[in-house]
């Protein structure tokens, strides 16, 4: 899967091929995890919306624990062996297979467990793939363009989501009889959507595997056995504690607010349907509009990142997200969700893209996979916070709106935690 001719960092073909993975993979996040299939599981498959939402929270928490335990070592081994691209392909393939398997989940409560298992396993391997994908940022960008390349990648993801969601809406969800004669009987119109996403993801994952050069094996580092990687990781963390506490501080702070961001994606469609009365069609229409605004925000935020630095973008975005989040939990009506939800979307992309460049700018060369594995792990080490805040507040107060307020608290805590972390030097390599 390696190529003989190495593209220089920043080469347009390499950047575009890298970003196309996000274009395809974003359909898994948007259609499967956020706006369509999770809504189907909680509203169509589960016995009732509340129990379905709680079960979804449990499933995402378990998946998070698995990622937390395994991600840093998988990233570390990708660095050492020069196989980031190989593992990106393998992990993407498993996520795609799980997505295709969701086709067999009918709209009956007896299928809920199987649906949650496939969703959970798929999300685990999707995140493993993201570890390699994020680490490859330094292979396609220069220090001066890292912000805009990262923002471009996130923007491509959002715009890819728009196209995928539009196809899903008009070909399968909205019509009484959709493409290929598909109807809603047995949840078929939503189940077919899972097959569509699997094909979409697979097609757009190919360019990065074909046209982005592989990273070279790390110098003077032996991979050893998988479990020996934990010993290496422990020593690495001890070294970071002694010599680079900024990196550890950022990993810890970003873990908190990124979990809040992830919870917005996971439960956004569920709240739209359960609290604000959105139909499946309205949820998808909102998702299309939200992804357009988020894509614009990500691309714009990437340029601001290169100009003002990633920390400025992160702090500004989180502040806006907390303020808008308070409004969306306090005010009633569909119009509130539309206006506040779209405003919220503008700041999601910049916060995510700038977090990736912050770490990429401060990480030691040849340890990007390990660093982004830790990035995934620290996020997942507290990944129970978002789902627990949502499902816990929901269980205590009996309202999805209260669950959303719990997510806002997580974002606020992350904002407070990141403030004392020293920003990277401008264009620090």
């Amino acid at each position: 899967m390696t190529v003989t001719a190495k593209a220089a960092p920043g080469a347009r073909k390499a950047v575009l091929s890298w970003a196309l993975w996000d274009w395809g993979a974003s359909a898994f996040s948007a259609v499967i995890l956020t706006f369509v299939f999770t809504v189907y599981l909680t509203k169509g498959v589960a016995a009732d919306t509340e129990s379905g939402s709680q079960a979804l929270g449990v499933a995402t928490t378990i998946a998070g624990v698995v990622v937390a335990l395994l991600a840093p070592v998988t990233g570390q081994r990708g660095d050492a062996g020069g196989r980031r691209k190989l593992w990106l392909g393998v992990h993407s393939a498993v996520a795609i297979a799980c997505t295709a398997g969701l086709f067999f989940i009918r709209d009956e409560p007896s299928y809920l467990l199987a649906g949650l298992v496939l969703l959970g396993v798929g999300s685990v391997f999707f995140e493993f793939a993201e570890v390699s994908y994020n680490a490859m940022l330094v292979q396609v960008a220069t220090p001066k363009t890292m912000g805009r390349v990262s923002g471009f990648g996130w923007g491509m993801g959002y715009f890819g989501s728009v196209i995928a969601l539009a196809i899903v809406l008009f070909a399968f969800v909205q019509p009484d009889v959709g493409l290929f004669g598909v109807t809603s009987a047995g949840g078929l119109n939503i189940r077919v959507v899972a097959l569509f996403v699997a094909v979409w993801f697979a097609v757009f994952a190919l360019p990065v595997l074909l046209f982005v050069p592989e990273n070279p094996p790390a110098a003077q580092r032996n991979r050893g056995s998988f479990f020996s990687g934990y010993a290496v990781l422990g020593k690495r963390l001890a070294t970071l504690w002694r010599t680079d506490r900024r990196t550890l501080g950022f990993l810890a702070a970003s873990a908190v607010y990124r979990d809040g961001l992830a919870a917005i994606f996971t439960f956004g469609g569920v709240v739209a349907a359960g609290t604000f009365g959105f139909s499946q069609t309205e949820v998808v229409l909102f998702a299309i509009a939200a992804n357009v605004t988020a894509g614009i925000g990500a691309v714009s935020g990437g340029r601001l990142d290169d100009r003002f630095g990633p920390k400025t973008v992160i702090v500004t975005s989180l502040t806006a997200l907390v303020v808008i989040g308070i409004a969306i939990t306090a005010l009633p009506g569909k119009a509130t969700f539309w206006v506040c939800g779209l405003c919220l979307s503008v700041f999601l992309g910049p916060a995510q893209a700038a977090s990736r460049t912050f770490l990429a700018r401060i990480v030691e060369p040849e340890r990007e996979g390990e660093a982004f594995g830790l990035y995934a792990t620290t996020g997942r080490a507290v990944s129970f916070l978002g789902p627990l805040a949502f499902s816990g507040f929901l269980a205590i107060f009996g309202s999805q709106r209260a669950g959303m307020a719990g997510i806002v608290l997580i974002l606020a805590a992350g904002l407070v935690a990141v403030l004392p972390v020293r920003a990277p030097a401008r264009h620090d390599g």
Side-chain angles (χ1 to χ4, degrees):
M1 298 181 68
T2 57
V3 293
T4 54
K6 263 197 167 185
R12 291 183 179 180
K13 185 176 183 180
V15 170
L16 180 59
S17 298
W18 176 78
L20 281 173
W21 185 91
D22 217 340
W23 174 285
S26 64
F28 179 83
S29 296
V31 179
I32 301 299
L33 294 182
T34 306
F35 293 110
V36 179
F37 214 88
T38 49
V39 175
Y40 170 67
L41 287 176
T42 57
K43 200 173 181 181
V45 178
D48 59 82
T49 301
E50 306 303 329
S51 65
S53 298
Q54 292 183 46
L56 177 63
V58 171
T60 55
T61 300
I62 293 172
V65 171
V66 175
V67 172
L69 292 173
L70 300 180
V73 175
T74 59
Q76 177 193 95
R77 290 172 68 79
D79 289 338
R83 294 181 176 180
R84 286 178 194 156
K85 195 163 67 169
L86 170 65
W87 289 114
L88 174 63
V90 171
H91 295 148
S92 297
V94 177
I96 290 166
C98 289
T99 303
L102 291 171
F103 171 77
F104 300 99
I105 306 303
R106 299 178 64 86
D107 57 351
E108 300 171 13
S110 60
Y111 285 85
L112 179 62
L113 179 59
L116 292 174
V117 169
L118 285 170
L119 193 76
V121 174
S123 66
V124 166
F125 281 91
F126 176 77
E127 292 210 38
F128 287 168
E130 281 195 318
V131 170
S132 298
Y133 175 75
N134 288 334
M136 290 174 72
L137 173 62
V138 299
Q139 295 168 224
V140 298
T142 66
K144 290 185 178 181
T145 64
M146 197 170 287
R148 71 191 70 177
V149 170
S150 182
F152 176 67
W154 278 107
M156 285 286 284
Y158 284 122
F159 294 135
S161 296
V162 170
I163 303 301
L165 285 165
I167 294 173
V168 164
L169 175 63
F170 296 111
F172 303 111
V173 175
Q174 192 177 53
D176 292 332
V177 179
L179 197 63
F180 308 120
V182 169
T183 68
S184 61
L188 182 60
N189 60 333
I190 307 300
R191 292 158 51 206
V192 167
V193 164
L195 289 180
F196 165 77
V197 170
V199 173
W200 179 274
F201 190 172
V203 168
F204 290 105
L206 289 176
V208 70
L209 303 178
L210 296 174
F211 302 119
V212 176
E214 183 63 277
N215 66 305
Q220 298 180 346
R221 290 168 65 192
N222 297 320
R223 287 191 297 156
S225 69
F226 182 87
F227 293 103
S228 69
Y230 288 99
V232 174
L233 180 63
K235 293 178 182 178
R236 176 62 178 158
L237 289 173
T239 300
L240 287 174
W241 177 255
R242 292 192 304 270
T243 63
D244 189 12
R245 294 189 185 181
R246 173 177 63 171
T247 297
L248 290 180
F250 175 70
L251 288 171
S254 69
V256 177
Y257 71 72
R258 285 185 292 117
D259 193 53
L261 298 176
I264 291 175
F265 281 103
T266 301
F267 298 107
V270 173
V271 170
T275 297
F276 292 89
F278 278 46
S279 66
Q280 183 74 70
T281 296
E282 288 173 319
V283 169
V284 178
L285 285 172
F286 172 79
I288 292 171
N291 277 277
V292 170
T293 56
I296 294 171
V299 174
S300 302
R303 294 186 175 276
L304 293 173
D305 182 328
D306 285 332
R307 183 172 181 181
F308 299 107
K311 183 176 177 180
T312 299
V313 174
I314 292 168
V315 170
T316 301
S317 298
L318 289 178
T319 301
L321 288 168
V322 169
V323 172
I324 298 167
I326 292 172
I328 206 170
T329 59
L331 301 175
K334 285 185 179 180
T336 293
F337 194 88
W338 270 100
V339 174
C340 292
L342 293 181
C343 291
L344 203 72
S345 300
V346 171
F347 295 97
L348 286 172
Q352 294 168 314
S355 297
R356 179 164 61 191
T357 60
F358 191 114
L359 183 57
R361 289 184 189 280
I362 64 175
V363 67
E364 182 181 337
E366 297 186 349
R367 292 189 179 274
E368 293 87 3
E370 177 184 81
F372 279 105
L374 285 170
Y375 186 70
T377 286
T378 51
R380 282 310 186 175
V382 297
S383 64
F384 63 89
L385 289 177
L388 181 62
F390 179 80
S391 57
F393 274 53
L394 189 155
I396 293 170
F397 298 102
S399 164
Q400 286 185 335
R401 192 183 293 272
M404 198 68 183
I407 294 173
V408 173
L409 288 177
I410 301 300
L411 291 172
L415 171 60
V416 172
V418 80
L419 288 175
V421 180
R422 179 167 55 92
R426 190 67 56 85
H427 303 320
D428 185 12

